[in-house]
Amino acid sequence: MIEVAGLARTYHVGEVEVPALRGVDLRIEAGEFVAVMGPSGSGKSTFMNLLGGLDRADAGRYLLAGEDVSRLDADQLSAVRNRALGFVFQSFNLLPRASALENVELPLVYAGVHAGERHRRALAKLAQVGLAERAHHLPSQLSGGQQQRVAIARALVNAPALILADEPTGALDTRTSLEVMALLQALNDEGMTLVLVTHEPDIARFARRILVFRDGHLVEDRPVAGRQSAAALLAQEGA
């Protein structure tokens, strides 16, 4: 699914060069669930932005499902983001004056899908995340967990190959975080490839593999030992 070789990115702050990534080599196979960790300034957010086509590397190569993303122009990158990638953010990034349904439809609007088909697909994804009955509610009428579920439905609506989740539980309480992670684990069990950035070791343990960045280098790449089931933990809480 993902192959990067020699991936490097340096930012310029005035006359100062700030290396963010220093030549990362990595493969992520289709169907994996990978957690990306590291302290602030480690390079993990830069890595995520490069995977999402939100930034460009200064050096190296990035293949997404065999396509050399590092060689695409801005319009081609935008098309890849809309077609192949789904994004989930800590702050949900929902349009405040649009309903849940309209928020989920947004990627389909950009893709030129006609209204009837947009409604059908968006409602199906809201049902998948357990929010069909909230389709016409505004974000302000939803809890934080429900807003994140809308964001996940929006990420799924174009049937992407890869979901990129940046601190998706960062603004949520413990139980709601478990609910969101249970949903992401269920998606992974169905074959979805997920890459998740988190500062929280407990959240990383819901993934299958952990990458640790430090000072722009990938310093650890290990499978998750004793992987937790968020759904099982929720069931224990409810018992």
Side-chain angles (χ1 to χ4, degrees), residues 75-112:
D75 288 342
Q76 290 170 324
L77 266 179
S78 179
V80 167
R81 284 196 300 270
N82 191 257
R83 180 187 77 245
L85 302 175
F87 296 89
V88 181
F89 302 98
Q90 176 178 344
S91 57
F92 317 136
N93 286 11
L94 301 179
L95 298 178
R97 297 184 180 180
S99 68
L101 180 64
E102 290 165 337
N103 270 285
V104 175
E105 285 182 351
L106 198 57
L108 301 175
V109 173
Y110 294 144

Side-chain angles (χ1 to χ4, degrees), residues 53 66 71 89 111 130 132 166 183 195 203 215 223:
R71 296 181 179 274
F89 302 98
D166 190 359
L183 176 56
V195 178
I203 294 297
D215 298 327

Side-chain angles (χ1 to χ4, degrees), residues 12 14 19 22 28 32-33 35 44 49 53 61 63 80 95 105-106 118 120 134 145 153 160 187 205 208-209 212 221:
H12 298 272
R22 303 171 185 255
I28 296 174
E32 286 201 77
F33 188 171
K44 66 183 185 302
N49 287 338
R61 200 168 176 221
L63 300 181
V80 167
L95 298 178
E105 285 182 351
L106 198 57
R118 288 201 310 266
R120 186 190 67 78
R134 301 281 183 172
L187 291 170
R205 288 187 64 191
R208 299 180 184 274
R209 176 181 173 193
V212 180
D221 181 351

Side-chain angles (χ1 to χ4, degrees), residues 175-215:
R175 180 172 180 83
T176 308
S177 295
L178 283 176
E179 291 172 351
V180 168
M181 292 311 301
L183 176 56
L184 293 180
Q185 284 188 317
L187 291 170
N188 178 242
D189 290 343
E190 293 169 4
M192 176 64 68
T193 308
L194 294 105
V195 178
L196 174 149
V197 166
T198 182
H199 284 95
E200 303 173 69
D202 288 349
I203 294 297
R205 288 187 64 191
F206 295 118
R208 299 180 184 274
R209 176 181 173 193
I210 294 177
L211 308 177
V212 180
F213 284 80
R214 187 172 293 116
D215 298 327

